[in-house]
Amino acid sequence: MTLKEKIRTLAREKNAIVLAHYYTIGEVQDVADFVGDSLALAQKAAQTDAQIIVMCGVHFMAETCKILCPQAKVLIPDVSASCSLAESCPADAFAEFVAQHPQHKVISYVNTSAAVKAVTDVVVTSGNAREIVSSFPQDERLIFGPDRNLGEYINSVTGRQMLLWDGACHVHERFSVEKLIVLKREHPGAEVLVHPECRGAVRKLADVVGSTARLLKHTQESECREFLVVTESGILHQMQRACPEKTFIPVPPDDPGCTCNECQYMRLNTLEKLYQCLRDEAPEVTVPDEIAEKAVRPINRMLEISKELGL
Ligand code: 13P
Ligand code: SF4
C-alpha cells in the first residue's frame, strides 16, 4: 500500500476527516477529504460528525476546530506548526489593549490564539472581513487585530478608522514590490492576485485582492490566461489543477535567490507525519474549557453572519 492509501484506510477505519489548507504541499492536499481557506475549514469543522479531525494547517486552525467541535479528537501532524501572525499578538498584551479601549468592539482575524479570540466580539477571516466590518454601524468604534495590513486594507475599502494592532505575517510581508514590477513588465497580460496580508505597496499593484478561496475562484472565472500570484505558493497546486491550460507564476519574496514564497509552518505538514498522526492519534490539540467557552461565541458569530450573507 502507498502512504496515501494507508492514510485513507486509517481515516476510514477511525471515522476521521482530514482537512487541509491551500498552503500545504500538493500531496497533502490530494490526500485530504477537504481543502479550503480558513473560513471554509472552520465551516467544515462546525458541520462534521467525524470522531477525529486532522488539521493539516497551523495550530490556530486546529484550535478553532476543537472549539467548534469539542466532542472530536483534534490532531495536527506537527504541533510546532505555528503562525507568525498569531504569534505577533500575545493574548495578555492584546487583552490589555482591549481593556484600554472599553468603548470599542473587538474584531479579530482568525489567525489568533484561542485566548485572543476569548477577548473578541467577532472573529473574521480574509474571506469575510470586509462584509463583517461593514455589518457594524458606521459610528461604532472598532479594534481590529492582529494583522495591520489586512486592517489597513479593510479600513480603505470600508471608509472605517478601526484601531489596528501592529502585527503581520512574515511570509506576506516579504513580497518584493521591485520583483513584482519586473514580473509585471515581463508578463504585461497577466493579472496580479494579492492576498490582503501583503503590504499596501504590493496591494496597490493588484488586479484582485482577496482570500485564498477568492483568488482561486477568480482564476477559474477570469478570461485571462496568465496570473502573477502574490500569496503563499501552495495555492498554485489547486489553481493549476482547476485550470491546467492557464499559467500561474509565483511572485518571489525579497530574499535573494528565492523563487517562491513558502510558509515554513504550513510545510511542516508532510504525508509521513500525517500518517503517523492518524496512526498514533497524536499530537492532539486541546483548548482549556474556560477559554473555549469564551472563544466559541465570536467564532459562532462569524459563522452566523457569514451564513446570513451567503459567504
Ligand atoms: P485564508 O484565510 O485566505 O485562507 O488565509 C489564511 C492564512 O493563513 C493567510 O496567510
Ligand atoms: Fe500564518 Fe503567514 Fe503562515 Fe498564514 S502564511 S499561516 S498568516 S505565518
Side-chain angles (χ1 to χ4, degrees):
M1 256 203 276
T2 64
L3 204 46
K4 277 189 183 175
E5 286 162 350
K6 284 186 188 170
I7 290 168
R8 291 311 322 158
T9 305
L10 269 182
R12 213 171 26 251
E13 285 170 6
K14 296 191 176 211
N15 185 19
I17 186 171
V18 179
L19 306 179
H21 190 269
Y22 289 130
Y23 292 163
T24 53
I25 55 172
E27 49 187 11
V28 165
Q29 295 186 36
D30 290 344
V31 82
D33 292 286
F34 180 79
V35 186
D37 70 347
S38 306
L39 176 59
L41 292 172
Q43 287 167 328
K44 199 75 187 172
Q47 289 158 5
T48 189
D49 55 9
Q51 277 169 280
I52 295 178
I53 303 174
V54 187
M55 172 48 76
C56 300
V58 291
H59 196 265
F60 76 81
M61 294 177 176
E63 276 191 339
T64 305
C65 288
K66 185 64 190 174
I67 293 165
L68 286 170
C69 212
Q71 73 285 0
K73 185 182 258 190
V74 176
L75 307 174
I76 189 164
D78 190 322
V79 80
S80 54
S82 176
C83 165
S84 58
L85 177 51
E87 278 177 15
S88 70
C89 190
D92 47 355
F94 190 69
E96 209 178 300
F97 181 61
V98 168
Q100 283 162 3
H101 301 92
Q103 310 294 332
H104 287 64
K105 288 277 188 301
V106 183
I107 302 180
S108 292
Y109 195 30
V110 70
N111 296 43
T112 45
S113 64
V116 166
K117 291 183 177 80
V119 294
T120 291
D121 291 298
V122 58
V123 168
V124 297
T125 72
S126 50
N128 58 22
R130 181 181 183 156
E131 291 81 1
I132 291 183
V133 168
S134 301
S135 73
F136 282 89
Q138 193 67 35
D139 57 355
E140 184 91 63
R141 290 186 229 180
L142 302 172
I143 282 175
F144 185 92
D147 191 53
R148 62 169 176 270
N149 295 317
L150 177 63
E152 272 168 29
Y153 172 67
I154 301 297
N155 273 345
S156 72
V157 292
T158 60
R160 305 274 168 155
Q161 288 185 316
M162 298 187 292
L163 272 186
L164 306 182
W165 182 261
D166 192 14
C169 154
H170 74 297
V171 178
H172 286 87
E173 283 254 297
R174 273 207 315 252
F175 281 109
S176 155
V177 178
E178 293 72 21
K179 288 184 183 173
L180 178 55
I181 290 172
V182 171
L183 279 169
K184 262 170 84 75
R185 264 197 226 117
E186 287 170 3
H187 303 272
E191 284 187 328
V192 179
L193 311 178
V194 174
H195 196 279
E197 287 173 23
C198 294
R199 291 171 294 140
V202 174
R203 288 197 313 270
K204 275 206 185 100
L205 299 169
D207 292 300
V208 182
V209 177
S211 69
T212 49
R214 162 113 169 76
L215 299 182
L216 179 59
K217 188 159 177 266
H218 180 80
T219 58
Q220 293 161 21
E221 293 173 350
S222 170
E223 284 179 6
C224 193
R225 305 189 64 78
E226 207 179 15
F227 302 88
L228 296 172
V229 183
V230 198
T231 189
E232 214 273 1
S233 55
I235 185 78
L236 268 77
H237 183 68
Q238 295 295 331
M239 289 178 169
Q240 200 72 73
R241 211 169 118 152
C243 300
E245 74 291 358
K246 297 189 179 182
T247 305
F248 301 97
I249 301 156
V251 173
D254 252 330
D255 320 41
C258 262
T259 50
C260 64
N261 205 350
E262 295 179 350
C263 170
Q264 74 266 36
Y265 303 117
M266 288 283 185
R267 305 285 156 156
L268 291 172
N269 294 283
T270 61
L271 268 193
E272 188 62 44
K273 284 189 222 165
L274 168 55
Y275 168 68
Q276 284 165 6
C277 150
L278 256 173
R279 185 194 60 196
D280 304 343
E281 300 189 19
E284 185 177 356
V285 174
T286 56
V287 179
D289 285 348
E290 66 279 14
I291 292 179
E293 276 162 27
K294 291 181 187 152
V296 75
R297 285 181 234 144
I299 303 174
N300 275 335
R301 186 143 163 63
M302 167 183 82
L303 294 176
E304 283 155 22
I305 301 175
S306 298
K307 199 170 170 191
E308 278 164 29
L309 297 172
L311 298 167

